[in-house]
Amino acid sequence: MLKGQLALGAVQIVNAGSDEVIGYAYTVENGLGQLQRWLLHRDPQNEFVVRPPPASMLGWSLADWQAGVKSLWQPGSYYVWAQADLYRHGGTYNGVTWTRLPAASKLPPPTYYPSAPRQLDPDGRIIELRQLQRALGLAFAVRGLADASSIEYWLLPEAYEPAGRSVSAAISVGARQAGSLDAFIDVANQSWAPGCTFAITGCVNHHLQTPPTRP
């Protein structure tokens, strides 16, 4: 199985630089990769850490998560269904072997769940994914939490471990600029190598005073 951004099951989202809990996520295998359900109490603005869940959420099933959303909810929270479709270096997709990442116009479209049309926001800078103080992955967002849907593109190297169980991951804005998805692809291709995974994540965003009826 290809490695996605998150470990399966529940994880905790905390503010970067502190232990303030700003949300949770729950991940299952789905489709071409994994379906992540994020419950965020506020917009993390590209600065957050994914950590193991509290003891009370260890071993939660999807049914436990769905039943628990109401108690975890705070008015004005964000709920995001994020379907991450995963593609491996050297794999062949639509007749093209990915020894290099395709141009933006040739990338597969994102998958959205529910079948409408993020935790990340677009601001023209490349987002860095760190584990054990090392910069490992890269990400780029098209649209953001304020929109009904958005897309995230993640480059995950072979050394990356899905975050939230045995290892945490920190997401933060880096210094490099990318004014377009093609510009991000150019940067990502410098690190695209055997063992890498590329995640195309379609996000459907719910932002109301009350939780979704079917989380």
Side-chain angles (χ1 to χ4, degrees), residues 72-153:
L72 295 172
W73 190 261
Q74 296 178 8
S77 291
Y78 296 87
Y79 195 89
V80 181
W81 294 269
Q83 171 63 38
D85 293 339
L86 306 176
Y87 303 90
R88 74 171 76 244
H89 182 279
T92 300
Y93 308 102
N94 296 325
V96 177
T97 300
W98 285 28
T99 52
R100 285 183 59 80
L101 293 170
S105 62
K106 307 240 180 237
L107 287 172
T111 302
Y112 293 104
Y113 179 98
S115 56
R118 186 209 42 81
Q119 58 275 19
L120 300 184
D121 289 309
D123 70 354
R125 288 180 292 178
I126 293 174
I127 297 160
E128 293 184 347
L129 180 60
R130 293 180 176 269
Q131 284 184 329
L132 304 176
Q133 305 304 313
R134 293 187 299 139
L136 290 179
L138 302 173
F140 185 80
V142 177
R143 301 189 301 275
L145 276 176
D147 301 294
S149 66
S150 52
I151 313 168
E152 299 168 4
Y153 299 88

Side-chain angles (χ1 to χ4, degrees), residues 4-186:
Q5 303 100 312
L6 299 183
L8 300 180
V11 299
Q12 185 171 236
I13 314 300
V14 302
N15 185 46
S18 75
D19 289 324
E20 177 199 3
V21 177
I22 61 173
Y24 305 89
Y26 192 89
T27 301
V28 299
E29 294 181 12
N30 189 67
L32 297 178
Q34 56 179 218
L35 175 58
Q36 307 158 4
R37 291 168 165 88
W38 295 70
L39 195 169
L40 300 170
H41 298 148
R42 63 171 176 79
D43 186 342
Q45 299 180 331
N46 299 332
E47 298 280 347
F48 61 93
V49 178
V50 179
R51 290 184 179 171
S56 60
M57 296 175 70
L58 283 171
W60 267 23
S61 66
L62 177 57
D64 293 330
W65 166 266
Q66 291 172 320
V69 164
K70 186 174 182 179
S71 62
L72 295 172
W73 190 261
Q74 296 178 8
S77 291
Y78 296 87
Y79 195 89
V80 181
W81 294 269
Q83 171 63 38
D85 293 339
L86 306 176
Y87 303 90
R88 74 171 76 244
H89 182 279
T92 300
Y93 308 102
N94 296 325
V96 177
T97 300
W98 285 28
T99 52
R100 285 183 59 80
L101 293 170
S105 62
K106 307 240 180 237
L107 287 172
T111 302
Y112 293 104
Y113 179 98
S115 56
R118 186 209 42 81
Q119 58 275 19
L120 300 184
D121 289 309
D123 70 354
R125 288 180 292 178
I126 293 174
I127 297 160
E128 293 184 347
L129 180 60
R130 293 180 176 269
Q131 284 184 329
L132 304 176
Q133 305 304 313
R134 293 187 299 139
L136 290 179
L138 302 173
F140 185 80
V142 177
R143 301 189 301 275
L145 276 176
D147 301 294
S149 66
S150 52
I151 313 168
E152 299 168 4
Y153 299 88
W154 297 76
L155 174 66
L156 306 174
E158 184 175 20
Y160 177 76
E161 292 295 332
R165 288 292 183 177
S166 59
V167 64
S168 300
I171 286 81
S172 61
V173 174
R176 288 176 289 184
Q177 298 284 330
S180 66
L181 178 56
D182 272 317
F184 171 72
I185 294 295
D186 287 341

